[in-house]
Amino acid sequence: MAIDLTAPGPLERALGRKDPGVIVIDEVAGMLLSVVLLPRSIPVLVTAFLLFRLFDIWKPFPARESQALTGGVGVMVDDLIAGLYTLVLVMGARALFGVPA
């Protein structure tokens, strides 16, 4: 039995919206990815949070395009991309400039 990852999920169907605000697991996963390889200091966490929100709102390529996917995949992928961009940027800033500490 194959699972259709492009079909709207049951909660999306029930609420009649794509990526309803009551689903937050995508935000949690994206934020966790943004700090997975970083030290858990206050400056790192605040910087990562702010950058993650910026990328989550701005949705740089390919995050915006990934929203065309339906169901759980479309809900999750754009936030994981935002988290990955954040992780790379913060790791790069730490390697090049030593901040955030």
Side-chain angles (χ1 to χ4, degrees), residues 66-85:
S66 74
Q67 289 188 304
L69 301 170
T70 57
V73 173
V75 171
M76 291 291 290
V77 171
D78 70 307
D79 291 292
L80 293 175
I81 292 169
L84 184 60
Y85 277 152

Side-chain angles (χ1 to χ4, degrees), residues 8-87:
L11 190 55
E12 287 181 316
R13 284 192 303 272
L15 296 174
R17 299 183 4 197
K18 179 169 174 54
D19 197 3
V22 297
I23 300 175
V24 296
I25 190 68
D26 55 330
E27 307 291 336
V28 172
M31 187 61 208
L32 286 174
L33 178 60
S34 73
V35 296
V36 69
L37 300 176
L38 297 170
R40 302 323 186 272
S41 68
I42 296 297
V44 167
L45 293 174
V46 169
T47 302
F49 175 76
L50 293 174
L51 285 171
F52 172 72
R53 291 303 303 147
L54 173 73
F55 289 134
D56 189 31
I57 293 165
W58 175 31
K59 300 199 184 313
F61 180 82
R64 185 176 314 278
E65 290 74 12
S66 74
Q67 289 188 304
L69 301 170
T70 57
V73 173
V75 171
M76 291 291 290
V77 171
D78 70 307
D79 291 292
L80 293 175
I81 292 169
L84 184 60
Y85 277 152
T86 299
L87 177 63

